[in-house]
Amino acid sequence: MSVQSVPTTFIGRKQLEAEAWKLVRKVFERHGWKIAPLGLNRSLVLPQAEPLVAVAPNPPTVIMLVCVPDCIAVHEPTRRSWLVELKSTNRETFALRARDFAALLMWQALLTVAHLPSGTVYACLIDNLPPPKLVMLPQRDYPLSLWDEGGLTVLQHQFPEVEVVTGITVVAGSKAPFALWELEGLQRLEAYL
């Protein structure tokens, strides 16, 4: 894989997330589901707990506080529900940070990926996600956080056969370890509804 094909910037991330939300919501609602953003994020951690959360040695409860699925979907007639993680991409691949992967496993989330050029929404239960194309450990001038270290460990344990590429230059974002998956390994969201 060439460095040029590696997603290295998160420019316009909020705009892409808004587009993905519209597509995902439309699919859920077309199939009789109600869906709403959870609005939960790390900013809800009380100030007195923040120093402890920052240094906790990656127990599941802490990573679950830091990385929370984006929304909840409920189908009242069948009494089914999903905690849903939203991703978007303009490529035939999508990226997911290692720590997010680890937390989403614990949340037992449904991962959705909106392919913006085609308007297609793909999905997979996070614990059924096929192996990624590769795992990337971006170049950084500081050690991995405990969350990133723990997430990378979980990702490598789940997919020991996947190559880890180190030293990739990333110009934006957190420089956290992440994996790159191909969309072709996922079903359309409708298969889960």
Side-chain angles (χ1 to χ4, degrees):
M1 164 173 256
S2 71
V3 173
Q4 289 78 22
S5 63
V6 175
T8 58
T9 178
F10 296 100
I11 294 173
R13 183 172 152 208
K14 292 299 177 193
Q15 180 183 351
L16 296 177
E17 288 174 0
E19 290 178 44
W21 168 245
K22 288 178 197 171
L23 289 170
V24 170
R25 186 180 69 207
K26 187 186 300 182
V27 174
F28 271 101
E29 289 176 349
R30 186 171 52 237
H31 287 85
W33 289 69
K34 294 179 181 176
I35 186 168
L38 284 171
L40 300 175
N41 59 47
R42 188 169 162 205
S43 67
L44 296 175
V45 174
L46 294 174
Q48 60 268 35
E50 181 67 28
L52 299 177
V53 169
V55 298
N58 195 40
T61 51
V62 172
I63 200 155
M64 289 176 80
L65 287 173
V66 175
C67 306
V68 179
D70 295 307
C71 53
I72 185 167
V74 176
H75 190 254
E76 290 176 350
T78 59
R79 301 180 54 85
R80 293 172 53 214
S81 64
W82 297 113
L83 289 175
V84 181
E85 177 69 10
L86 302 174
K87 291 303 216 185
S88 64
T89 186
N90 286 313
R91 300 174 174 89
E92 298 305 313
T93 59
F94 68 96
L96 186 62
R97 290 184 307 186
R99 66 177 164 205
D100 293 336
F101 174 79
L104 292 170
L105 273 177
M106 290 178 244
W107 283 107
Q108 300 178 8
L110 178 68
L111 174 68
T112 60
V113 183
H115 183 251
L116 299 177
S118 69
T120 304
V121 180
Y122 297 91
C124 187
L125 292 171
I126 196 73
D127 55 349
N128 291 336
L129 200 58
K133 190 173 183 173
L134 52 91
V135 175
M136 296 189 194
L137 188 55
Q139 183 177 343
R140 53 197 299 142
D141 299 328
Y142 46 92
L144 291 175
S145 72
L146 294 172
W147 303 323
D148 287 333
E149 200 174 287
L152 184 59
T153 299
V154 169
L155 191 61
Q156 288 180 297
H157 177 75
Q158 196 83 2
F159 305 110
E161 71 283 6
V162 176
E163 176 188 8
V164 177
V165 178
T166 60
I168 299 294
T169 301
V170 176
V171 296
S174 67
K175 297 182 179 36
F178 64 97
L180 194 65
W181 278 268
E182 294 179 332
L183 288 176
E184 69 183 22
L186 305 183
Q187 296 181 340
R188 289 181 177 236
L189 173 57
E190 289 85 349
Y192 293 90
L193 307 180

